[in-house]
Amino acid sequence: MNIVAIEGLTRKFGDIAAVDNMNLTIREGEIYGLLGPNGAGKSTLINILSGLLKMNSGKVELMGMDIRKGHNNLKKKIGVVPQDIAIYEDLTARENVNFFSGLYGCRGTELKQNVIEALAFVGLIENADKFPKAFSGGMKRRLNIACAIAHKPELIIMDEPTVGIDPQSRNHILESVKELNRRGSTIIYTSHYMEEIEAVCDRAGIIDHGKLIAEGTGDELKAIVSDKQFIIIGLENADGLDVSQLQEIDGIVNVLKDGNIIKIENTKVINNWDKIIRCIDMQGVRISNIESRTPTLETVFLTLTGRTLRD
């Protein structure tokens, strides 16, 4: 069964198509990753799925129901963890979860039990009666998740849930994502961290300029660039390097300069390392280290979009 079924979805802001004739399906029980640079259309898509934005054209079904018909039952089956923390600082952790769970129709004994279970799940039960203003960033992120899952949704949309937190809290959230999935929730997960997508997602889709340009498992996406080699060169000072000269070397597909690091996408069958080194040396730039890397999701993304995920 498809939890999400999107056909020809378009949403425009003026003349700009933030989502452009998109087709996408997400199967029941999946953790599906959404990748894309800022402005690619991820947030617009999420806002449409969560009912905050209307589409211009196309069709979107969630759990077999058309979202345009505004089923109240549908809203109760969805939980959204927004990128911006959405909690009330003047309410305790327990009161926050109680409030948001109540919005989904939970009442009485069920509500109290759901609140306790959600706080325990995110590791905040001992802080249930404390105010979030005293929490660390990671604790606030976990409370944000508790508010979204207390009503036990079938579909959970998590938009950048680990932004700006410490590694321990990040690991806790990633394990929570996998556990929620084991308990039966289908999850849509967006992140700027490729390693998170690889760690938790069954499949991922890459969005750019409002279009789904590639999707598949991690291995399937990496196979797209299986004929490529990625050369990472550390420089002592890259300010004087003209990367356009590197791009003229036969076999080089793309060059990205990131501080004193040069990332080169190269055709595997062409051995041009000597030309690359000579080109850099002739410009008076010293190389501190050089290495070849196998394709990762980040290199796939760079190949398909021509820019890094954080651009």
Side-chain angles (χ1 to χ4, degrees), residues 210-257:
K211 294 181 179 292
L212 182 69
I213 60 175
E215 71 171 344
T217 65
D219 288 341
E220 288 170 345
L221 288 171
K222 292 172 190 176
I224 295 173
V225 294
S226 61
D227 62 336
K228 302 291 194 306
Q229 176 189 54
F230 298 89
I231 304 170
I232 312 299
I233 303 175
L235 306 173
E236 290 187 2
N237 187 349
D239 290 342
L241 185 70
D242 180 5
V243 297
S244 65
Q245 294 186 33
L246 286 170
Q247 291 174 325
E248 293 176 359
I249 296 174
D250 189 30
I252 289 182
V253 179
N254 193 24
V255 180
L256 176 69
K257 184 178 178 181

Side-chain angles (χ1 to χ4, degrees), residues 24 32-36 42 189 197 201 203-208 211-217 221 301:
L24 172 66
Y32 189 93
L34 280 179
L35 295 168
K42 301 189 308 298
Y189 190 95
I197 298 295
C201 295
R203 291 192 302 143
I206 298 175
I207 297 175
D208 197 25
K211 294 181 179 292
L212 182 69
I213 60 175
E215 71 171 344
T217 65
L221 288 171
F301 190 92

Side-chain angles (χ1 to χ4, degrees), residues 38-79:
N38 293 331
K42 301 189 308 298
S43 294
T44 300
L45 175 61
I46 287 172
N47 287 336
I48 291 171
L49 294 178
S50 57
L52 297 177
L53 272 180
K54 293 184 178 180
M55 68 188 83
N56 292 119
S57 60
K59 183 179 180 181
V60 177
E61 289 187 350
L62 301 180
M63 289 154 284
M65 291 183 279
D66 191 327
I67 64 170
R68 290 173 296 188
K69 297 181 180 178
H71 294 281
N72 288 329
N73 289 335
L74 182 58
K75 295 178 181 178
K76 293 178 182 179
K77 295 181 179 182
I78 302 172

Side-chain angles (χ1 to χ4, degrees), residues 184-205:
S185 293
T186 301
I187 299 171
I188 299 174
Y189 190 95
T190 81
S191 178
H192 276 79
Y193 302 103
M194 291 289 189
E195 62 273 17
E196 291 186 3
I197 298 295
E198 292 200 75
V200 303
C201 295
D202 302 302
R203 291 192 302 143

